[in-house]
Amino acid sequence: TRVDALLSKMTLDEKIAQLTQISGADFMPGPKADEVIRKTGAGSLLWLNDTKRFNELQKIAIEESPSGIPVLFALDVIHGYRTIFPVPLAMAASWDPAVAERSQAVAAKEARAAGIHWTFGPMIDIARDARWGRIVEGAGEDPYLGSAMAAAQVRGFQGTDPANPERVAACAKHFAGYGAADGGRDYDPVFLSEAQLRNVYLPPFEAAVKAGVDGFMSAYMDLNNVPASGNRWLLWDVLRDEWGFDGFVVSDAMAVGNLVIQGYARDTADAARRALDAGL
């Protein structure tokens, strides 16, 4: 009831702001986070890891933004926050999902205590080309092991109660096929048959959905000539219609703007429309 009442009062600009992830970093051009939040609010914020600053911005969001909606603070918490654990590939080499689940529960507790609500993990891309530079963030080449580790990390980060103050929202990434780039070159195109996708690259993501993951992150690259961030078959037909995912989908950093560079959109406004229509 409270949400419906608030939505009925919000302007279009405020609603769009809730679909926007803004930067907390000084190196990004444009208006600073304080100004954006004060003017329209914002859905979430990345590139910031400062508890004092989290508190300052949250105070602005709750007390000064038009709708008073709190901001979600997101960060790459991959293998520990204060306590550093083995990298995901090393944890996967244990062949023991409980190891990953316990370590991510500790990471979640520490990150949440610092003011973070949402981690950009787990990375669950299957990778079979040793030249690809991000293998270390995942579980390697096996979809069965990858699925087990995906579900375990989701459970570790999120627990069973979204209101638990010692857990964070997880984000399954990068959807999908990101680890199969041509020549192992990051961001390069990916060409996979539907049989390859469904038998090798999609199972860990479906396992994350079954484990209750809150969010997904789309991949940067083209999948069979359609950028993943604008790929309605991937983000809507498979993820929502087939698997019943009811969470949210975020792009990788600046990937919506990249739809212009990829030749899929005329300009940034067209890119935003195409991404939103695809389910992002």
Side-chain angles (χ1 to χ4, degrees):
T1 302
R2 179 184 170 201
V3 170
D4 289 340
L6 181 57
L7 281 170
S8 68
K9 298 175 185 176
M10 290 172 69
T11 66
L12 181 60
D13 283 349
E14 290 167 48
K15 290 176 181 176
I16 292 170
Q18 290 302 311
L19 296 174
T20 304
Q21 185 165 90
I22 63 173
S23 168
D26 292 334
F27 60 78
M28 289 297 288
K32 298 305 177 190
D34 313 57
E35 303 169 45
V36 175
I37 294 170
R38 192 173 278 114
K39 182 179 179 182
T40 59
S44 55
L45 189 142
L46 80 167
W47 292 328
L48 183 67
N49 187 17
D50 182 331
T51 300
K52 181 181 178 182
R53 188 76 174 126
F54 288 153
N55 289 336
E56 291 171 353
L57 292 171
Q58 199 68 287
K59 185 176 174 66
I60 293 172
I62 293 170
E63 296 181 3
E64 299 182 49
S65 73
S67 54
I69 299 173
V71 176
L72 290 171
F73 297 111
L75 191 73
D76 284 282
V77 181
I78 304 300
H79 58 106
Y81 184 70
R82 293 296 181 199
T83 304
I84 302 304
F85 293 97
V87 293
L89 188 62
M91 285 195 286
S94 72
W95 284 85
D96 185 354
V99 169
E101 184 172 347
R102 290 198 303 270
S103 66
Q104 301 300 31
V106 172
K109 184 175 182 178
E110 293 180 351
R112 190 67 194 88
I116 295 161
H117 306 104
W118 173 16
T119 175
F120 297 128
M123 193 204 88
I124 53 179
D125 295 299
I126 297 297
R128 294 183 166 183
D129 187 332
R131 295 172 295 184
W132 190 53
R134 298 190 69 171
I135 292 175
V136 68
E137 293 177 62
E141 75 278 9
D142 185 76
Y144 182 83
L145 177 62
S147 298
M149 289 294 167
Q153 290 183 80
V154 170
R155 292 192 301 266
F157 280 132
Q158 293 187 179
T160 56
D161 180 6
N164 189 329
E166 294 188 346
R167 303 291 179 142
V168 295
C171 183
K173 68 182 188 184
H174 307 83
F175 196 58
Y178 188 47
D182 274 0
R185 294 182 297 268
D186 206 24
Y187 297 19
D188 267 16
V190 170
F191 297 95
L192 293 168
S193 69
E194 189 165 349
Q196 287 174 300
L197 275 166
R198 292 192 180 275
N199 286 316
V200 179
Y201 295 93
L202 295 186
F205 291 98
E206 187 173 12
V209 172
K210 290 177 179 177
V213 71
D214 286 328
F216 262 62
M217 182 185 292
S218 60
Y220 273 122
M221 78 302 147
D222 290 358
L223 175 64
N224 298 333
N225 290 322
V226 180
S229 297
N231 194 314
R232 188 176 174 86
W233 176 79
L234 197 61
L235 303 182
W236 199 272
D237 296 353
V238 174
L239 183 57
R240 297 197 184 278
D241 287 348
E242 283 189 34
W243 296 349
F245 177 69
D246 63 358
F248 55 92
V249 182
V250 66
S251 79
D252 210 334
M254 298 179 282
V256 174
N258 287 352
L259 294 177
V260 179
I261 299 168
Q262 290 167 292
Y264 193 68
R266 290 186 304 276
D267 50 32
T268 53
D270 186 43
R273 183 190 64 77
R274 287 173 179 271
L276 187 63
D277 184 60
L280 194 141

